[in-house]
Amino acid sequence: MDNTTDKKCRKEYKKKYRELNKEKITEYNKKRYHENKEINKEKIAEYNERYKEKKAEYQKIKAECDNCKSVVCRHLLKRHKESKKCMDYNKEKIIIDKKEKVECDNCKSVVLCVGLEQHKKTKKCMNYWLTCLLEDYRDQKTI
Ligand SMILES: [Zn+2]
Ligand SMILES: [Zn+2]
């Protein structure tokens, strides 16, 4: 008997064995399945319990939003940043920044904060500065 026929024979034998013991095998498999199911159930429950604890711990961690300074749960931070509240805060802040006015340290004109740099390059501001210098110069001369 060569190898292939041997294999074939064994295959045939297995097939026959399975046919003859069909019920036994099904029974055995069923039993094993149920046993495993019980074990798996326990394992899954244990795993879920641990997962829940970890999740609860993780969810307790708070973080500050760098946009609006709200304190939110860290796992919700990403969602928070996409929220209307946070986005509106940013928009409002930009509007306020744009509306904010400052006094020019050269000419004491009150200008928009965002326009200050540009204002300092205007003739009005530069002339004022020059006039002041001239006045100072003149004052010093008279003294
Ligand atoms: Zn925010
Ligand atoms: Zn000025």
Side-chain angles (χ1 to χ4, degrees), residues 24-36:
K24 258 194 196 168
I25 290 170
T26 337
E27 194 74 18
Y28 175 75
N29 280 341
K30 244 191 207 169
K31 217 177 131 193
R32 249 182 63 163
Y33 173 75
H34 279 288
E35 274 171 13
N36 277 341

Side-chain angles (χ1 to χ4, degrees), residues 65-70 80-81 86:
C65 171
D66 48 10
N67 279 343
C68 66
K69 309 292 169 206
S70 287
H80 160 81
K81 281 186 181 174
C86 187

